[in-house]
């Protein structure tokens, strides 16, 4: 049904679409020229924003660029319409916008070249951080370094030499202040190598107390305060009493991330029009194996047919995905089918795919989970298999209690708490847990036994240990007022909620640790 909001949006778009007509006419061509593109952009910008599009320092800079493109852009010759955005982005990136008015009459913010043309009572050379100064040479989008050398053009490192020349000219002022920022808006910054060499050469110059006092007065009263990690502690009554087994590893390693996900209900959003992610590709692999096993398995030809049907369906929407990922998917699924047939020869039969179950802990917490596959041997023993299209947890992580999913699923299967296709999965003693890595690359697939090694527990003992660990963990964090601290195990990869916990502001600061 069409709503009033839809009707209003349609009227708005009809009006805007008419203003975009100059660009729409260019889009119908196979090839265009830069002057024609610049003229169309000028018409559209003027129609959308009138003279405001060309007002201010940024508007004047844009107007100069458009004028230059219209006058001299024909030297590029015709180009494909698909290449136009990248070319325009490259041209716009070279335009510096510096407000000319509105500053203090005795203060000027200049680039290194402009600063050489001025005399100042005090020259402040800032930005002495790694990557900022000296900056990394920008790659040439048109010519490779070897071709530039053959043509007699200067190398890309020449820009670094010119920057050093400008910097030394700035050092020739009567009074110079060298500065750098300790951090920017997102993370701490690293001093440049030149800064560190100056410090070493000078033998460690003392800080200027007067300047530091001025900076502190600008930032606020008193010295900078060390930021402590967040420690939210909602009432125990608000904490969830039902979890998925995948939540447990988050609760072990990063309780704050669990708090943000489950209690605040925050989820990262995928970018608009994003290609299928690794999780999406993994879901498709799981779906093919689930359908093959639930239909009774059978020949590898049947598995190949299911694989091609999946790739055809994905390729309709994402043709590039089909072209790039299809060979890996075929190899990975064929490898999995061969492994399943080999296990059948060893006495293991796949009895369930995508089996779900629930486990009530001694403290009343309910865990639910889903096993990718459950196998049974001739003696009724159970094996829990988990498919991974990425990297599987290492045995060390499993031993340290950082990967508990398979242990919990094994406990469910042992107790007869799993169901598949609406029917109970017969219980049995846990004999194996394993991760199947199915990347389809140079190493097509690999079976990872997380309990392999000397003094490793059996699958049944491991399941009992995990249940005991999770019972104690959930009792402490979900049934008391204990705070949800971030990054209990900071060596793990960057997470979706680390920016919310402002990890870079306190991590590795002894005063901020708890």
């Amino acid at each position: 049904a069409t709503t009033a909001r839809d009707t209003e949006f349609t009227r708005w778009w009809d009006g805007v679409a008419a203003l975009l007509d100059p660009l729409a006419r260019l889009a119908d061509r196979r090839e265009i020229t830069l002057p024609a593109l610049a003229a169309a952009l000028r018409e559209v910008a003027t129609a959308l924003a009138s003279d405001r599009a060309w007002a201010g320092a940024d508007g004047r800079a844009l107007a100069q660029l458009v004028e230059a493109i219209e006058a001299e852009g024909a030297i590029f010759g015709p180009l494909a319409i698909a290449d136009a955005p990248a070319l325009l982005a490259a041209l716009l990136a070279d335009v510096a916008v510096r407000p000319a008015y509105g500053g203090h009459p005795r203060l000027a913010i200049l680039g290194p070249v402009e600063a050489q043309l001025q005399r100042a009572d005090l020259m402040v050379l800032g930005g002495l951080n790694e990557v900022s100064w000296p900056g990394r040479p920008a790659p040439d989008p048109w010519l490779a370094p070897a071709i530039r050398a053959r043509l007699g053009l200067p190398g890309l490192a020449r820009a670094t030499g010119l920057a050093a020349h400008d910097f030394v000219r700035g050092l020739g002022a009567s009074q110079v202040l060298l500065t750098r920022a300790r951090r920017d808006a997102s993370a701490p910054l690293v001093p440049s190598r030149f800064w560190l060499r100056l410090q070493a050469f000078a033998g460690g110059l003392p800080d200027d107390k007067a300047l530091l006092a001025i900076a502190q007065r600008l930032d606020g009263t008193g010295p900078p305060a060390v930021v402590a990690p967040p420690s939210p502690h909602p009432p125990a009554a608000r904490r969830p009493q039902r979890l998925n087994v995948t939540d447990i590893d988050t609760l072990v390693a990063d309780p704050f991330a669990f708090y943000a996900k489950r209690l605040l209900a925050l989820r990262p959003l995928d970018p608009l029009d994003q290609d299928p992610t690794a999780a999406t590709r993994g879901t498709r692999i799981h779906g093919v194996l689930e359908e093959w096993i639930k239909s009774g398995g059978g020949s590898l030809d049947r598995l190949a047919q299911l694989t091609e049907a999946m790739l055809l369906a994905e390729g309709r929407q994402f043709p590039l995905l089909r072209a790039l990922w299809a060979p890996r998917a075929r190899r990975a699924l064929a490898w999995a089918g061969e492994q399943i047939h080999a296990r059948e020869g060893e006495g293991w039969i796949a009895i369930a795919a995508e089996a779900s179950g629930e486990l009530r802990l001694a403290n009343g917490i309910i865990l639910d989970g889903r096993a990718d596959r459950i196998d049974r041997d001739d003696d009724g023993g159970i094996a829990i298999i988990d498919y991974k299209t990425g990297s599987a947890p290492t045995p060390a992580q499993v031993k340290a209690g950082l990967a508990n999913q398979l242990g919990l699923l094994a406990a469910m299967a042992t107790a007869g708490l799993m169901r598949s296709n609406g029917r109970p999965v017969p219980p049995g003693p846990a004999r194996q847990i394993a991760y199947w890595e199915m990347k389809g690359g140079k190493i097509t697939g690999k079976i990872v036994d997380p309990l392999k090694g000397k003094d490793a527990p059996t699958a049944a003992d491991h399941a009992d240990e995990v249940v005991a660990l999770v019972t104690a963990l959930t009792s402490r964090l979900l049934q008391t007022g204990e705070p949800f601290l971030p990054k209990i195990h900071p060596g793990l990869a960057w997470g979706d909620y680390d920016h919310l916990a402002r990890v870079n502001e306190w991590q590795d600061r002894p005063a901020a640790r708890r």
Side-chain angles (χ1 to χ4, degrees):
T2 301
T3 64
R5 184 181 295 273
D6 295 334
T7 304
E8 181 182 355
F9 175 79
T10 301
R11 286 198 303 266
W12 172 84
W13 174 247
D14 288 341
V16 173
L19 301 180
L20 299 177
D21 187 62
L23 286 177
R25 290 197 300 267
L26 288 183
D28 295 333
R29 304 181 188 177
R30 287 190 176 182
E31 292 184 341
I32 60 172
T33 62
L34 267 182
L37 178 60
L41 289 172
R42 173 172 49 76
E43 291 181 35
V44 170
T46 304
L48 291 174
S50 66
D51 291 340
R52 287 176 295 174
W54 319 109
D58 51 352
R60 288 189 293 271
L62 179 60
Q64 292 175 1
L65 176 62
V66 171
E67 181 183 8
I69 293 176
E70 288 194 69
E72 304 174 7
I75 62 174
F76 283 94
L79 65 148
I81 187 66
D83 296 334
L87 180 55
L88 279 178
L91 294 172
L92 288 169
D94 289 337
V95 178
V97 178
R98 297 186 177 91
Y101 308 100
H104 193 280
R106 298 193 59 197
L107 176 65
I109 301 177
L110 304 173
V113 177
E114 294 90 335
Q116 298 177 32
L117 307 177
Q118 308 286 334
R119 290 182 60 85
D121 298 331
L122 173 64
M123 180 75 73
V124 180
L125 301 178
L128 292 180
N129 292 310
E130 195 66 20
V131 180
S132 296
W133 198 95
R136 293 174 179 169
D140 188 336
W142 313 111
L143 298 175
I147 297 177
R148 291 180 62 92
R150 290 285 298 273
L151 294 175
L153 297 175
L156 298 179
R158 183 173 182 269
T160 304
L162 292 175
H165 179 270
D166 297 335
F167 189 86
V168 172
R169 291 282 297 271
L171 283 175
S174 58
Q175 189 175 4
V176 181
L177 184 62
L178 302 181
T179 68
R180 80 173 191 90
R182 291 186 180 274
R183 63 170 297 115
D184 63 8
S186 61
L189 299 178
V190 178
S192 69
R193 286 159 287 181
F194 180 68
W195 176 279
L196 296 176
R197 289 186 179 183
L198 284 177
Q199 284 187 325
F201 178 77
L205 290 175
D207 295 333
D208 191 315
K209 303 298 183 183
L211 291 178
L212 285 177
I214 293 173
Q216 290 170 3
R217 284 198 295 269
L218 291 173
D219 292 336
T221 58
V226 176
V227 177
S231 57
H233 46 279
R238 288 187 52 212
R239 307 189 182 201
Q241 301 298 294
R242 187 184 188 95
L243 288 74
N244 191 278
V245 292
T246 56
D247 292 328
I248 295 299
D249 295 344
T250 304
L251 196 60
V252 170
D254 192 351
F256 180 88
F258 174 87
Y259 163 79
K261 179 180 178 181
R262 291 298 308 272
L263 278 83
L264 300 184
L266 299 177
R267 297 286 192 279
L269 297 178
D270 292 332
L272 293 176
D273 199 27
Q274 183 185 29
D275 288 337
T277 63
T280 304
R281 297 194 295 270
T283 301
R284 301 297 181 265
I285 292 288
H286 283 60
V288 171
L289 288 174
E290 177 187 2
E291 185 175 356
W292 186 57
I293 292 173
K294 286 185 175 180
S295 63
S299 67
L300 295 181
D301 291 338
R302 168 64 177 158
L303 178 60
Q305 291 174 3
L306 296 174
T307 301
E308 294 304 320
M310 180 271 292
L311 293 174
L312 181 61
E314 289 297 305
R316 292 193 184 102
Q317 186 174 4
F318 303 103
L320 184 61
L321 173 70
R322 174 178 171 82
L324 298 179
W325 179 59
R328 289 176 173 266
R330 292 189 185 100
R331 288 194 295 266
L333 286 165
W335 173 86
E338 292 169 358
Q339 297 302 314
I340 292 174
H341 281 180
R343 285 175 62 82
E344 289 175 353
E346 298 171 0
W348 288 97
I349 303 298
I351 61 171
E354 300 298 324
S356 58
E358 284 187 2
L359 176 66
R360 181 181 290 273
L361 301 177
N363 57 12
I365 300 289
I366 298 176
L367 303 178
D368 57 64
R370 183 183 295 269
D372 292 339
R373 196 175 87 238
I374 301 178
D375 292 356
R376 178 183 296 277
D377 64 9
D378 295 335
D379 297 328
I382 293 292
I384 305 295
I385 310 297
D386 190 54
Y387 305 137
K388 294 291 185 184
T389 52
S391 297
T394 64
Q397 289 175 325
V398 175
K399 183 178 180 181
L402 299 177
N404 302 287
Q405 178 181 357
L406 294 193
L408 293 171
L409 294 175
M412 293 180 190
T414 300
L417 302 175
M418 305 292 284
R419 300 180 68 85
S420 178
N421 283 342
R423 297 190 299 271
V425 177
R431 295 278 171 78
Q432 288 183 8
I433 60 173
Y435 297 101
W436 284 24
E437 287 187 358
M438 297 185 294
K439 298 181 180 180
K442 292 182 179 179
I443 300 177
T444 305
K446 181 174 68 173
I447 296 179
V448 178
D449 181 358
L451 302 180
K452 184 179 180 179
K454 187 177 180 181
D455 300 327
T458 64
D461 291 341
H462 173 69
D464 293 339
E465 292 172 1
V466 168
V467 169
L469 180 149
V470 172
T471 301
L473 175 73
T474 53
S475 297
R476 178 168 53 86
L477 286 177
L478 301 181
Q479 296 180 330
T480 70
E482 182 166 328
F484 291 98
L485 299 178
K487 306 300 279 188
I488 300 299
H489 293 275
L492 299 180
W494 181 269
D496 291 329
Y497 304 97
D498 285 1
H499 68 290
L500 183 64
R502 306 179 74 163
V503 170
N504 282 335
E505 297 187 18
W506 53 261
Q507 195 173 56
D508 296 329
R509 294 187 184 183
R513 294 179 189 151
R514 300 213 168 196

Short mmCIF file of all heavy atoms in Angstrom, two decimals, residues 317-361:
data_model
loop_
_atom_site.label_atom_id
_atom_site.label_comp_id
_atom_site.label_asym_id
_atom_site.label_seq_id
_atom_site.Cartn_x
_atom_site.Cartn_y
_atom_site.Cartn_z
N GLN A 317 21.90 -12.21 -8.55
CA GLN A 317 21.94 -10.94 -7.84
C GLN A 317 23.34 -10.37 -7.75
O GLN A 317 23.54 -9.15 -7.78
CB GLN A 317 21.35 -11.10 -6.44
CG GLN A 317 21.20 -9.79 -5.68
CD GLN A 317 20.48 -9.98 -4.36
OE1 GLN A 317 20.15 -11.10 -3.97
NE2 GLN A 317 20.24 -8.89 -3.65
N PHE A 318 24.34 -11.26 -7.62
CA PHE A 318 25.72 -10.82 -7.46
C PHE A 318 26.60 -11.56 -8.47
O PHE A 318 27.26 -12.55 -8.12
CB PHE A 318 26.22 -11.08 -6.03
CG PHE A 318 25.39 -10.43 -4.97
CD1 PHE A 318 24.49 -11.19 -4.22
CD2 PHE A 318 25.49 -9.07 -4.72
CE1 PHE A 318 23.73 -10.59 -3.24
CE2 PHE A 318 24.74 -8.47 -3.73
CZ PHE A 318 23.85 -9.23 -2.99
N PRO A 319 26.61 -11.14 -9.73
CA PRO A 319 27.40 -11.87 -10.74
C PRO A 319 28.89 -11.88 -10.45
O PRO A 319 29.57 -12.86 -10.75
CB PRO A 319 27.07 -11.10 -12.03
CG PRO A 319 26.54 -9.77 -11.60
CD PRO A 319 25.86 -10.01 -10.29
N LEU A 320 29.40 -10.79 -9.87
CA LEU A 320 30.83 -10.78 -9.56
C LEU A 320 31.16 -11.81 -8.48
O LEU A 320 32.21 -12.46 -8.52
CB LEU A 320 31.24 -9.37 -9.09
CG LEU A 320 32.74 -9.17 -8.83
CD1 LEU A 320 33.54 -9.41 -10.10
CD2 LEU A 320 33.02 -7.77 -8.30
N LEU A 321 30.26 -11.98 -7.51
CA LEU A 321 30.47 -12.99 -6.48
C LEU A 321 30.55 -14.37 -7.11
O LEU A 321 31.42 -15.17 -6.75
CB LEU A 321 29.33 -12.93 -5.46
CG LEU A 321 29.33 -14.05 -4.42
CD1 LEU A 321 30.48 -13.86 -3.45
CD2 LEU A 321 28.02 -14.10 -3.65
N ARG A 322 29.65 -14.65 -8.04
CA ARG A 322 29.68 -15.96 -8.69
C ARG A 322 30.99 -16.18 -9.41
O ARG A 322 31.58 -17.27 -9.34
CB ARG A 322 28.50 -16.09 -9.66
CG ARG A 322 28.53 -17.38 -10.48
CD ARG A 322 27.31 -17.49 -11.38
NE ARG A 322 27.45 -18.60 -12.30
CZ ARG A 322 27.19 -19.86 -12.01
NH1 ARG A 322 26.75 -20.15 -10.80
NH2 ARG A 322 27.34 -20.82 -12.90
N ALA A 323 31.49 -15.16 -10.08
CA ALA A 323 32.72 -15.32 -10.85
C ALA A 323 33.93 -15.54 -9.94
O ALA A 323 34.81 -16.35 -10.25
CB ALA A 323 32.93 -14.09 -11.74
N LEU A 324 33.99 -14.83 -8.81
CA LEU A 324 35.18 -14.88 -7.98
C LEU A 324 35.12 -15.96 -6.91
O LEU A 324 36.13 -16.57 -6.57
CB LEU A 324 35.39 -13.51 -7.30
CG LEU A 324 35.63 -12.33 -8.25
CD1 LEU A 324 35.80 -11.04 -7.46
CD2 LEU A 324 36.85 -12.57 -9.11
N TRP A 325 33.93 -16.19 -6.36
CA TRP A 325 33.81 -17.10 -5.23
C TRP A 325 33.43 -18.51 -5.66
O TRP A 325 33.72 -19.47 -4.94
CB TRP A 325 32.77 -16.54 -4.25
CG TRP A 325 32.52 -17.40 -3.06
CD1 TRP A 325 33.41 -17.81 -2.12
CD2 TRP A 325 31.25 -17.98 -2.68
NE1 TRP A 325 32.80 -18.59 -1.18
CE2 TRP A 325 31.47 -18.71 -1.50
CE3 TRP A 325 29.98 -17.94 -3.24
CZ2 TRP A 325 30.45 -19.40 -0.85
CZ3 TRP A 325 28.95 -18.61 -2.59
CH2 TRP A 325 29.19 -19.34 -1.42
N ALA A 326 32.79 -18.66 -6.81
CA ALA A 326 32.29 -19.97 -7.22
C ALA A 326 33.36 -21.06 -7.22
O ALA A 326 33.12 -22.16 -6.72
CB ALA A 326 31.62 -19.87 -8.59
N PRO A 327 34.58 -20.82 -7.79
CA PRO A 327 35.58 -21.90 -7.75
C PRO A 327 35.93 -22.35 -6.33
O PRO A 327 36.08 -23.55 -6.08
CB PRO A 327 36.79 -21.26 -8.45
CG PRO A 327 36.21 -20.18 -9.30
CD PRO A 327 35.06 -19.64 -8.54
N ARG A 328 36.03 -21.40 -5.40
CA ARG A 328 36.34 -21.77 -4.01
C ARG A 328 35.18 -22.58 -3.41
O ARG A 328 35.41 -23.57 -2.69
CB ARG A 328 36.59 -20.52 -3.17
CG ARG A 328 37.89 -19.81 -3.48
CD ARG A 328 38.00 -18.52 -2.68
NE ARG A 328 39.30 -17.91 -2.82
CZ ARG A 328 40.33 -18.09 -2.00
NH1 ARG A 328 40.18 -18.89 -0.95
NH2 ARG A 328 41.47 -17.50 -2.20
N ALA A 329 33.95 -22.12 -3.67
CA ALA A 329 32.80 -22.83 -3.10
C ALA A 329 32.72 -24.26 -3.63
O ALA A 329 32.44 -25.20 -2.87
CB ALA A 329 31.52 -22.06 -3.43
N ARG A 330 32.96 -24.44 -4.93
CA ARG A 330 32.90 -25.79 -5.51
C ARG A 330 33.95 -26.69 -4.85
O ARG A 330 33.66 -27.84 -4.48
CB ARG A 330 33.13 -25.73 -7.01
CG ARG A 330 32.00 -25.06 -7.80
CD ARG A 330 32.21 -25.24 -9.29
NE ARG A 330 31.22 -24.51 -10.07
CZ ARG A 330 31.44 -23.34 -10.65
NH1 ARG A 330 32.64 -22.77 -10.56
NH2 ARG A 330 30.49 -22.74 -11.33
N ARG A 331 35.19 -26.17 -4.73
CA ARG A 331 36.25 -27.00 -4.15
C ARG A 331 35.95 -27.34 -2.69
O ARG A 331 36.15 -28.48 -2.24
CB ARG A 331 37.59 -26.28 -4.27
CG ARG A 331 38.14 -26.22 -5.68
CD ARG A 331 39.60 -25.81 -5.68
NE ARG A 331 39.78 -24.44 -5.20
CZ ARG A 331 39.83 -23.37 -5.97
NH1 ARG A 331 39.68 -23.51 -7.29
NH2 ARG A 331 40.02 -22.17 -5.46
N ALA A 332 35.46 -26.34 -1.93
CA ALA A 332 35.20 -26.55 -0.50
C ALA A 332 34.10 -27.58 -0.29
O ALA A 332 34.22 -28.49 0.55
CB ALA A 332 34.84 -25.22 0.16
N LEU A 333 33.01 -27.47 -1.05
CA LEU A 333 31.90 -28.40 -0.88
C LEU A 333 32.24 -29.80 -1.37
O LEU A 333 31.83 -30.80 -0.75
CB LEU A 333 30.66 -27.86 -1.60
CG LEU A 333 29.99 -26.67 -0.90
CD1 LEU A 333 29.02 -25.97 -1.84
CD2 LEU A 333 29.27 -27.13 0.36
N ALA A 334 33.00 -29.88 -2.45
CA ALA A 334 33.43 -31.20 -2.92
C ALA A 334 34.32 -31.87 -1.89
O ALA A 334 34.21 -33.07 -1.62
CB ALA A 334 34.14 -31.07 -4.27
N TRP A 335 35.21 -31.09 -1.28
CA TRP A 335 36.08 -31.63 -0.23
C TRP A 335 35.25 -32.14 0.95
O TRP A 335 35.50 -33.22 1.48
CB TRP A 335 37.06 -30.55 0.25
CG TRP A 335 37.88 -30.96 1.43
CD1 TRP A 335 39.06 -31.65 1.43
CD2 TRP A 335 37.58 -30.72 2.82
NE1 TRP A 335 39.51 -31.86 2.72
CE2 TRP A 335 38.62 -31.30 3.59
CE3 TRP A 335 36.53 -30.08 3.47
CZ2 TRP A 335 38.62 -31.23 4.98
CZ3 TRP A 335 36.54 -30.02 4.86
CH2 TRP A 335 37.58 -30.59 5.61
N ALA A 336 34.24 -31.36 1.37
CA ALA A 336 33.40 -31.77 2.49
C ALA A 336 32.67 -33.06 2.17
O ALA A 336 32.56 -33.97 3.02
CB ALA A 336 32.42 -30.66 2.84
N GLY A 337 32.15 -33.18 0.93
CA GLY A 337 31.48 -34.41 0.56
C GLY A 337 32.41 -35.61 0.60
O GLY A 337 32.02 -36.70 1.06
N GLU A 338 33.64 -35.43 0.14
CA GLU A 338 34.61 -36.54 0.17
C GLU A 338 34.92 -36.94 1.61
O GLU A 338 35.05 -38.14 1.92
CB GLU A 338 35.89 -36.10 -0.54
CG GLU A 338 35.72 -35.91 -2.05
CD GLU A 338 36.93 -35.22 -2.68
OE1 GLU A 338 37.85 -34.88 -1.92
OE2 GLU A 338 36.93 -35.03 -3.90
N GLN A 339 35.04 -35.94 2.51
CA GLN A 339 35.33 -36.26 3.91
C GLN A 339 34.17 -37.01 4.55
O GLN A 339 34.39 -37.95 5.35
CB GLN A 339 35.62 -34.97 4.69
CG GLN A 339 36.85 -34.22 4.23
CD GLN A 339 38.10 -35.07 4.30
OE1 GLN A 339 38.36 -35.74 5.30
NE2 GLN A 339 38.87 -35.05 3.23
N ILE A 340 32.94 -36.62 4.23
CA ILE A 340 31.79 -37.31 4.79
C ILE A 340 31.75 -38.76 4.31
O ILE A 340 31.50 -39.69 5.10
CB ILE A 340 30.49 -36.56 4.42
CG1 ILE A 340 30.45 -35.21 5.15
CG2 ILE A 340 29.26 -37.39 4.77
CD1 ILE A 340 29.28 -34.33 4.74
N HIS A 341 32.04 -39.00 3.03
CA HIS A 341 32.09 -40.38 2.52
C HIS A 341 33.22 -41.16 3.19
O HIS A 341 33.05 -42.35 3.50
CB HIS A 341 32.28 -40.36 1.01
CG HIS A 341 31.02 -40.08 0.26
ND1 HIS A 341 30.96 -40.04 -1.11
CD2 HIS A 341 29.74 -39.84 0.69
CE1 HIS A 341 29.71 -39.78 -1.49
NE2 HIS A 341 28.96 -39.64 -0.41
N ALA A 342 34.36 -40.51 3.41
CA ALA A 342 35.47 -41.20 4.07
C ALA A 342 35.11 -41.57 5.50
O ALA A 342 35.46 -42.66 5.98
CB ALA A 342 36.73 -40.32 4.04
N ARG A 343 34.40 -40.69 6.20
CA ARG A 343 33.99 -41.01 7.57
C ARG A 343 32.98 -42.15 7.59
O ARG A 343 32.95 -42.94 8.54
CB ARG A 343 33.41 -39.76 8.24
CG ARG A 343 34.47 -38.76 8.64
CD ARG A 343 33.84 -37.50 9.20
NE ARG A 343 33.06 -37.72 10.41
CZ ARG A 343 33.57 -37.80 11.63
NH1 ARG A 343 34.89 -37.73 11.80
NH2 ARG A 343 32.78 -37.97 12.69
N GLU A 344 32.14 -42.23 6.56
CA GLU A 344 31.20 -43.36 6.49
C GLU A 344 31.96 -44.67 6.41
O GLU A 344 31.55 -45.68 7.00
CB GLU A 344 30.27 -43.20 5.28
CG GLU A 344 29.26 -42.07 5.44
CD GLU A 344 28.43 -41.86 4.19
OE1 GLU A 344 28.74 -42.50 3.16
OE2 GLU A 344 27.49 -41.04 4.22
N GLY A 345 33.10 -44.67 5.71
CA GLY A 345 33.92 -45.87 5.66
C GLY A 345 34.55 -46.22 7.00
O GLY A 345 34.89 -47.37 7.25
N GLU A 346 34.69 -45.21 7.87
CA GLU A 346 35.24 -45.44 9.21
C GLU A 346 34.17 -45.75 10.24
O GLU A 346 34.47 -45.91 11.43
CB GLU A 346 36.02 -44.20 9.65
CG GLU A 346 37.21 -43.87 8.76
CD GLU A 346 37.82 -42.52 9.11
OE1 GLU A 346 37.31 -41.85 10.05
OE2 GLU A 346 38.80 -42.12 8.45
N GLY A 347 32.91 -45.78 9.79
CA GLY A 347 31.84 -46.13 10.71
C GLY A 347 31.04 -44.95 11.23
O GLY A 347 30.15 -45.13 12.07
N TRP A 348 31.32 -43.75 10.76
CA TRP A 348 30.58 -42.56 11.20
C TRP A 348 29.50 -42.23 10.18
O TRP A 348 29.78 -42.10 8.99
CB TRP A 348 31.51 -41.36 11.36
CG TRP A 348 32.43 -41.44 12.54
CD1 TRP A 348 33.72 -41.86 12.54
CD2 TRP A 348 32.11 -41.09 13.87
NE1 TRP A 348 34.25 -41.80 13.80
CE2 TRP A 348 33.27 -41.32 14.66
CE3 TRP A 348 30.96 -40.62 14.51
CZ2 TRP A 348 33.31 -41.09 16.02
CZ3 TRP A 348 31.00 -40.38 15.87
CH2 TRP A 348 32.17 -40.62 16.62
N ILE A 349 28.29 -42.05 10.64
CA ILE A 349 27.16 -41.72 9.78
C ILE A 349 26.59 -40.37 10.21
O ILE A 349 26.37 -40.14 11.42
CB ILE A 349 26.05 -42.79 9.85
CG1 ILE A 349 26.61 -44.15 9.48
CG2 ILE A 349 24.89 -42.42 8.94
CD1 ILE A 349 27.14 -44.24 8.06
N ALA A 350 26.38 -39.46 9.25
CA ALA A 350 25.76 -38.17 9.56
C ALA A 350 24.28 -38.40 9.82
O ALA A 350 23.53 -38.80 8.91
CB ALA A 350 25.96 -37.20 8.40
N ILE A 351 23.83 -38.16 11.06
CA ILE A 351 22.44 -38.44 11.43
C ILE A 351 21.61 -37.17 11.54
O ILE A 351 20.37 -37.25 11.62
CB ILE A 351 22.36 -39.22 12.75
CG1 ILE A 351 22.98 -38.41 13.89
CG2 ILE A 351 23.03 -40.57 12.62
CD1 ILE A 351 22.75 -39.02 15.27
N ALA A 352 22.24 -36.00 11.57
CA ALA A 352 21.47 -34.77 11.71
C ALA A 352 22.27 -33.61 11.15
O ALA A 352 23.49 -33.57 11.26
CB ALA A 352 21.10 -34.50 13.17
N ALA A 353 21.56 -32.67 10.53
CA ALA A 353 22.16 -31.44 10.04
C ALA A 353 21.36 -30.27 10.61
O ALA A 353 20.12 -30.30 10.63
CB ALA A 353 22.16 -31.40 8.52
N GLU A 354 22.08 -29.24 11.05
CA GLU A 354 21.44 -28.06 11.63
C GLU A 354 20.47 -28.47 12.74
O GLU A 354 19.31 -28.08 12.77
CB GLU A 354 20.72 -27.24 10.56
CG GLU A 354 21.62 -26.72 9.46
CD GLU A 354 22.69 -25.76 9.99
OE1 GLU A 354 22.39 -24.98 10.92
OE2 GLU A 354 23.82 -25.80 9.46
N ALA A 355 20.99 -29.26 13.68
CA ALA A 355 20.18 -29.71 14.81
C ALA A 355 20.22 -28.66 15.91
O ALA A 355 21.28 -28.11 16.23
CB ALA A 355 20.71 -31.04 15.34
N SER A 356 19.07 -28.37 16.50
CA SER A 356 18.99 -27.34 17.54
C SER A 356 18.67 -27.99 18.88
O SER A 356 18.08 -29.09 18.94
CB SER A 356 17.93 -26.30 17.18
OG SER A 356 16.68 -26.91 17.01
N GLY A 357 19.02 -27.29 19.95
CA GLY A 357 18.76 -27.84 21.28
C GLY A 357 18.81 -26.78 22.35
O GLY A 357 19.21 -25.63 22.10
N GLU A 358 18.39 -27.16 23.55
CA GLU A 358 18.40 -26.28 24.73
C GLU A 358 19.06 -27.02 25.88
O GLU A 358 18.94 -28.23 26.00
CB GLU A 358 16.98 -25.89 25.15
CG GLU A 358 16.33 -24.85 24.30
CD GLU A 358 15.00 -24.40 24.89
OE1 GLU A 358 14.64 -24.89 25.98
OE2 GLU A 358 14.31 -23.58 24.26
N LEU A 359 19.73 -26.25 26.73
CA LEU A 359 20.38 -26.80 27.91
C LEU A 359 20.12 -25.86 29.08
O LEU A 359 20.45 -24.67 29.01
CB LEU A 359 21.89 -26.96 27.68
CG LEU A 359 22.72 -27.43 28.89
CD1 LEU A 359 22.33 -28.87 29.25
CD2 LEU A 359 24.21 -27.34 28.58
N ARG A 360 19.52 -26.38 30.15
CA ARG A 360 19.29 -25.59 31.35
C ARG A 360 20.42 -25.86 32.33
O ARG A 360 20.63 -27.01 32.75
CB ARG A 360 17.94 -25.93 31.99
CG ARG A 360 17.64 -25.10 33.25
CD ARG A 360 16.31 -25.51 33.85
NE ARG A 360 15.20 -25.10 33.00
CZ ARG A 360 14.62 -23.91 33.07
NH1 ARG A 360 15.05 -23.00 33.93
NH2 ARG A 360 13.62 -23.62 32.27
N LEU A 361 21.14 -24.81 32.68
CA LEU A 361 22.25 -24.94 33.62
C LEU A 361 21.72 -25.08 35.04
O LEU A 361 20.54 -24.83 35.32
CB LEU A 361 23.18 -23.74 33.51
CG LEU A 361 23.80 -23.49 32.13
CD1 LEU A 361 24.64 -22.21 32.15
CD2 LEU A 361 24.65 -24.67 31.68
#
